[in-house]
Amino acid sequence: MHSIKKLLCRVVALCLTALPVLAQVNIDPPTRSFTKDGGGGSILTSGTGSWTASTTSSWLTITPRTTGTAGISCIYVVGANLSADTRSGVIDVSGKSHTVTQTGYAVTLSPTSATINLGGGVRTITLATSAGVSWTASTSASWITIGTPSGIGSGTVSYTVAAYSGVTTRTASILIGSQTFSVSQTGTDVNIAPYSVQKAYSSDIVMVQVSALTATTWSVTSNDSWISVVDAGNRFGDSTVTLAVGTNPSYLERTGTVTIGSATFTIRQSGTPNPIIDILPKTATCDPIGAYGNIAVVSTPDAPWTTESLTSWITLAANSGAGNGNIGYIASANPTLSPRTGTVRVYAPVVLPTVDLTYSLLAHVPTGANDLSGWLHH
């Protein structure tokens, strides 16, 4: 029995000493960064066994050797980066990765960020870099579309932000060269009905229904002086906001907004349909040698007017204007001994109807075989 135990011990000992030693190569450092000019780098190896190095990046060159044993450094060269984009490459040393990051030419963005409302839209970014330098623009956000994905030298980058129906603000970034442009899009903490109205020129009251969660608070702010907040409602949850619209003194339509929470309520108000126009003075007398004079026009703000001389010996300095204005005129010398009278006429604006009256004015007048009304040819 003792002999058998001694034999087993010898066999076990023999098996243990016969096991092969596995090679293990370690590298240091795992990463390294370079500027746009590039340069040389080295990877220290340690452990046991041999190593083989390779890379798929064309701008990384492993030299003078691609193989070696532990303790011998792996040397490589980084080529110059002629673009504004930061690039990364990997050198594989027997299964261990060494990552090389290289910056590009400097890029300046203006602005550097943007906050966009829930409606989204198209925006642009101004980019400045060295002449001849290429760059790319990209984003990982599915709700942002880059309209200018690449370019050379200074220029602009356009991007489109999709409409957003969410509640909380969402953020993303656009990478342009080595610079990051931040995009924030506000959500809708409230819903309003309606979102816009068309009002006549006269003063009026507008009511807006607000829908929101009970715990959601919101504020009401008029962005134009002619829109007043009569009743801001509860300022939380569901409520009603009452607004007052002043009379539009102008001939032109105007647009104003009210901010309710994150929503924007728009009011479009028509211009006055009854523009006024007057002139001062209405008559003038000049010497036989002629004269220079001025006619003051008093008119509704922004209301266009035209003027013409109905007399050949009166010359006007201006033929049109809008709102209050002046008309300069020159009366030439009178070559005769008889007094003469000339006229300058100022025309008020033509007020167009707000609806198409064409169909309303049609009338069917039966005339037998010949339809003189034009009804059958309409």
Side-chain angles (χ1 to χ4, degrees), residues 103-119:
T103 57
Y105 278 77
V107 169
T108 302
L109 303 180
S110 178
T112 58
S113 63
T115 299
I116 300 172
N117 62 28
L118 68 166

Side-chain angles (χ1 to χ4, degrees), residues 120-375:
V122 180
R123 300 290 189 275
T124 58
I125 308 165
T126 300
L127 176 152
T129 189
S130 301
V133 173
S134 63
W135 49 264
T136 60
S138 61
T139 180
S140 59
S142 60
W143 48 279
I144 299 178
T145 302
I146 306 297
T148 316
S150 62
I152 297 177
S154 300
T156 58
V157 176
S158 66
Y159 64 98
T160 302
V161 177
Y164 181 40
S165 60
V167 176
T168 59
T169 298
R170 61 181 179 179
T171 60
S173 61
I174 299 174
L175 182 63
I176 305 174
S178 58
Q179 298 298 309
T180 299
F181 182 85
S182 300
V183 180
S184 297
Q185 187 175 28
T186 55
T188 171
D189 55 357
V190 302
N191 285 317
I192 60 175
Y195 269 88
S196 64
V197 293
Q198 177 74 50
K199 304 301 293 183
Y201 78 99
S202 56
S203 59
D204 204 348
I205 295 295
V206 180
M207 303 185 74
V208 184
Q209 301 299 320
V210 182
S211 300
L213 297 175
T214 303
T216 299
T217 59
W218 40 267
S219 59
V220 181
T221 304
S222 171
N223 301 315
D224 295 273
S225 60
W226 52 276
I227 304 175
S228 302
V229 180
V230 177
D231 185 357
N234 296 333
R235 293 193 174 97
F236 68 88
D238 296 342
S239 189
T240 301
V241 173
T242 304
L243 307 171
V245 179
T247 300
N248 187 356
S250 174
Y251 177 77
L252 300 179
E253 181 183 80
R254 62 182 177 179
T255 301
T257 60
V258 176
T259 301
I260 304 176
S262 62
T264 300
F265 178 69
T266 302
I267 300 176
R268 287 182 291 274
Q269 187 181 32
S270 301
T272 175
N274 304 308
I276 63 170
I277 191 168
D278 198 2
I279 58 173
L280 295 172
K282 289 185 171 59
T283 62
T285 301
C286 62
D287 294 331
I289 61 173
Y292 170 80
N294 188 71
I295 304 171
V297 179
V298 180
S299 175
T300 297
D302 301 313
W305 46 263
T306 57
T307 182
E308 66 172 332
S309 172
L310 303 181
T311 307
S312 61
W313 50 271
I314 299 177
T315 304
L316 303 180
N319 295 321
S320 63
N324 295 337
N326 292 285
I327 305 169
Y329 66 87
I330 298 175
S332 62
N334 187 351
T336 71
L337 297 177
S338 302
R340 61 182 179 179
T341 302
T343 305
V344 174
R345 179 171 294 171
V346 180
Y347 298 91
V350 177
V351 180
L352 298 176
T354 56
V355 296
D356 185 359
L357 301 177
T358 304
Y359 300 120
S360 302
L361 296 176
L362 286 176
H364 187 195
V365 182
T367 58
N370 297 320
D371 177 21
L372 302 179
S373 69
W375 182 273

